[in-house]
Amino acid sequence: MDLLQVDQEKCLKCGICVECCPSCILTMGENGPECHFDRGCMSCGHCVAVCPAGALDNKYTPLEKQRPVTMPVLSADTAYEFLRMRRSVRVFKDAVPSEEEITRLLDICRYAPTAGNSQGMYYIVIRDKEKIKAIADAVADWMDEEVAAGTENKRYFMTVLRAYRERGQDIIARQAPVLVFALARRLNVTGVSNAEQCWAYAELFAPTIGLGTTIAGFIQSCGIAGYQPLLDLINIPPKHKVVGTLMLGYPKYKFKRMPERQHLKVDFQ
Ligand SMILES: Cc1cc2nc3c(=O)[nH]c(=O)nc-3n(C[C@H](O)[C@H](O)[C@H](O)COP(=O)(O)O)c2cc1C
């Protein structure tokens, strides 16, 4: 089956699909768009999604599976307020979110941007309190080793270790009832960036379903560094690596105010 199917009766030959193709593999021919390099298609579905006449189909992103867009979903003011309201949640209720809730949260991450539309994110969800404690302990051990090795984060890690070990404050995992590890294929060089995008989606969507999140920076750094004692605690499938970690649970408190941020710095050139 060819990559593209063009309904020539519907095709306006407007060229919008050609303009929008991220891989620049389409040109406009006499009978509509033509693809010059099928293997260059990143399956993003834009050519089909943007066609004003519904004249185009793509075997990787079939027209019949594309949902119509209903815009605008939010006014600009509501969207601005919504984005401003997102907060990192570090204090959680004891109750553990259900598999359904966590799945619903991670499902939206499928729509986050990924380099070259690589997608392919794989998640491991840890809900065992003792395992989460063991993970935090392993991260503290990793920090000890990093400090001993003279890492550039030495002073910062020492501050973290003082809180964790001397004051008994869980600055690493925040006693979150859930940790989510994002994994990507080992050869995927953009896995970490992709995970960051997925977390942005998760963090924004979470409050709409009663959940709270915070990126677990210490844990994910340790995982990305490939610290074996941490990796041994999670069952990573072959040929995969850790590219991100998120803490998750029901927020214990509600934020009443939105702090101001640094001023926008922008230079139009
Ligand atoms: C890459 C990254 C790593 C982070 N790691 C942690 C972390 O380990 N622990 C934590 O409490 N917050 C972590 N955060 C959350 C930031 O501290 C937080 O986003 C920032 O203070 C702003 O607050 P807000 O998210 O509530 O707006 C991380 C955020 C990012 C983007």
Side-chain angles (χ1 to χ4, degrees), residues 5-14 28 30-33 51-57:
Q5 287 85 51
V6 184
D7 183 332
Q8 289 179 20
E9 283 183 11
K10 286 187 186 166
C11 180
L12 307 169
K13 301 195 185 65
C14 59
M28 187 51 67
E30 271 181 25
N31 298 319
C51 177
L56 194 55
D57 213 340

Side-chain angles (χ1 to χ4, degrees), residues 86-88 90 171 174 214-218 220 247 261:
R86 183 212 50 79
R87 286 272 77 86
S88 292
R90 299 185 179 84
I171 189 171
R174 293 277 164 183
T214 285
I215 296 172
F218 303 123
Q220 71 177 21
M247 309 176 215
R261 290 282 220 236

